[in-house]
Amino acid sequence: MKKLSSTCVFLILALASSMVFAQSTKAKPQPAADSTLPYTPSLDVTAMDKSVAPCVDFYQYSCGGWQKKNPIPPDQSSWSVYGKLYQDNLGFLRTILEQAASAKGERDSATRLIGDFYSACMDEKAVERRGLSVLKPELEAIARVKTAHGLAPLIVHMQLAIPGASIAFSGGSSQDPDDSEQQIASFDQGGLGLPDRDYYTKDDAKSKEIRERYVKHVQKMFELLGETAAAAGRDSDTVMRMETALAKSSLTRVERRDPYKLKNKMKIADLEKLAPNFDWQTYLREAAAPKFEVLNVTAPSFFKEMDRQLAEEPLENWKTYLRYHLANGYAAYLSSPFVLESFEFYSKYLRGAKEMRPRWKRCVQAVDNDLGDALGQAYVRKAFSPELKASTLDMVR
């Protein structure tokens, strides 16, 4: 008989114990499950592939059955039990939002907020009618900037307004590297349209192809903003050149795994010396940042490069950069040409999705991203009844 390694024995025992736990919990009387819940908690033994020896390929043994039954959906770029649970939950949230949107009479503030937001997002005809007009105030604000210092209020506004945006750099708060019980103001590298610095720096054929496709994508976005093909081509080259310089001054993924490389604590005066051409005082005031003495800059070399560009790049080039990131950041909320162009490059070409997600999924996710606290209140009311809360507390005790 072949001797099993101690690691394999541990894994098999762990799996067996999870089965015993699942069976023991199912043997006890449980509160009636809400049939509208998007999942049924249990151990699915059919997810296993018992034709494979666990000590040969434990992953295939434990997950092979699930993989066979769950091919990647055409509107997804990857798939897992967690991804499936998230998609199932979107359907549950959709029901909550549709009820909130169609509710008659008085609604509490959270229900009214998420219902109106979802209704506006789902009103595709209204979105198409508005077209580019919704960006007009922001585009005019960019056009009015007179100096490099005047970029600060625009950048902070875009960082706060555009979901997940990293305009020029990333700003916010993070854990103090010297005190796990404290938060500290933090500034990090960013400002790129491609997912990572390596997309700009690698010299293999695929990376070159991605950069060529990205430049075409940027050009298309400028054309959708109303520029001629020639002007859009020049502007896309400008964006690519500026972002490439920022990328080359960014820390690599390997470097960012070293916590000591990310620890560069300083005072605001030191930050102003590091990047004197950016108006940090205006940025902090417009961000409504609380008063603080010390901050952390994770990548000083990046901010030196950003400062160089603020000093040496013509202001018009910075306006070009901001116009692109404005359109790109809001693309999912705009009319169908913007939505389709963003999907074609980021989701289809870069990540491999074959189809665009239906609008209801995109709108549910938009509510979850932008109004998560309000949606969470409605979710708890629906899914976490007083009886379920009591049984959960009893289980924990």
Side-chain angles (χ1 to χ4, degrees), residues 77-362:
S77 58
S78 62
W79 200 233
S80 67
V81 290
Y82 303 106
K84 186 176 187 300
L85 178 60
Y86 179 75
Q87 294 300 316
D88 291 343
N89 201 50
L90 286 182
F92 186 61
L93 294 175
R94 179 189 188 183
T95 300
I96 293 174
L97 289 169
E98 288 179 346
Q99 290 173 351
S102 61
K104 305 297 183 182
E106 289 295 321
R107 297 179 292 173
D108 62 83
S109 59
T111 301
R112 184 175 64 254
L113 191 63
I114 61 176
D116 291 351
F117 189 111
Y118 183 73
S119 293
C121 184
M122 289 297 292
D123 190 352
E124 195 166 3
K125 290 183 178 179
V127 173
E128 297 297 333
R129 278 198 309 272
R130 294 187 183 100
L132 191 58
S133 65
V134 293
L135 292 186
K136 186 177 179 181
E138 284 83 358
L139 290 169
E140 291 176 345
I142 293 172
R144 287 195 299 268
V145 175
K146 302 298 182 184
T147 66
H149 258 226
L151 295 171
L154 281 176
I155 289 175
V156 69
H157 170 73
M158 290 173 66
Q159 287 178 349
L160 293 173
I162 301 175
S166 173
I167 311 299
F169 61 92
S170 295
S173 63
S174 61
Q175 183 179 299
D176 187 332
D178 294 320
D179 186 349
S180 62
E181 296 184 355
Q182 297 293 328
Q183 288 283 304
I184 189 173
S186 179
F187 295 98
D188 198 1
Q189 64 195 37
L192 308 180
L194 288 171
D196 180 73
R197 72 174 297 281
D198 289 352
Y199 285 78
Y200 297 85
T201 59
K202 285 186 174 180
D203 205 33
D204 58 280
K206 182 62 176 178
S207 296
K208 291 179 179 178
E209 178 194 290
I210 289 173
R211 289 194 289 271
E212 290 173 0
R213 291 288 293 267
Y214 178 59
V215 170
K216 291 179 180 178
H217 161 70
V218 177
Q219 178 176 346
K220 180 63 175 178
M221 294 297 283
F222 279 121
E223 290 178 18
L224 292 175
L225 286 175
E227 295 187 9
T228 65
R234 291 191 297 271
D235 285 347
S236 64
D237 289 339
T238 296
V239 170
M240 188 62 181
R241 179 175 52 77
M242 293 176 69
E243 289 186 2
T244 300
L246 292 175
K248 289 180 177 179
S249 299
S250 301
L251 296 177
T252 66
R253 289 191 181 188
V254 174
E255 289 171 329
R256 290 179 68 84
R257 294 181 191 140
D258 184 347
Y260 295 102
K261 280 186 168 61
L262 302 180
K263 177 185 170 182
N264 301 282
K265 296 170 76 171
M266 59 184 71
K267 295 182 178 180
I268 296 177
D270 299 319
L271 178 62
E272 291 174 327
K273 290 178 182 178
L274 179 67
N277 291 295
F278 189 76
D279 189 351
W280 293 104
Q281 295 294 340
T282 296
Y283 177 91
L284 293 171
R285 184 177 65 251
E286 293 295 317
K291 289 186 177 181
F292 57 87
E293 296 295 327
V294 179
L295 56 94
N296 189 55
V297 176
T298 57
S301 60
F302 172 87
F303 286 92
K304 288 180 181 179
E305 170 58 28
M306 186 189 80
D307 190 69
R308 183 197 68 76
Q309 291 196 33
L310 286 168
E312 298 179 11
E313 286 285 350
L315 182 61
E316 288 305 312
N317 289 354
W318 272 100
K319 291 182 179 181
T320 296
Y321 170 87
L322 291 180
R323 286 203 313 277
Y324 165 68
H325 280 278
L326 177 73
N328 200 49
Y330 277 126
Y333 298 87
L334 299 175
S335 54
S336 53
F338 287 92
V339 175
L340 182 60
E341 176 58 32
S342 181
F343 166 78
E344 287 289 334
F345 178 72
Y346 284 106
S347 297
K348 189 173 183 178
Y349 173 69
L350 272 189
R351 300 185 179 94
K354 294 180 175 61
E355 296 178 3
M356 189 183 300
R357 292 173 301 152
R359 189 171 189 88
W360 74 261
K361 283 188 179 181
R362 289 179 275 139

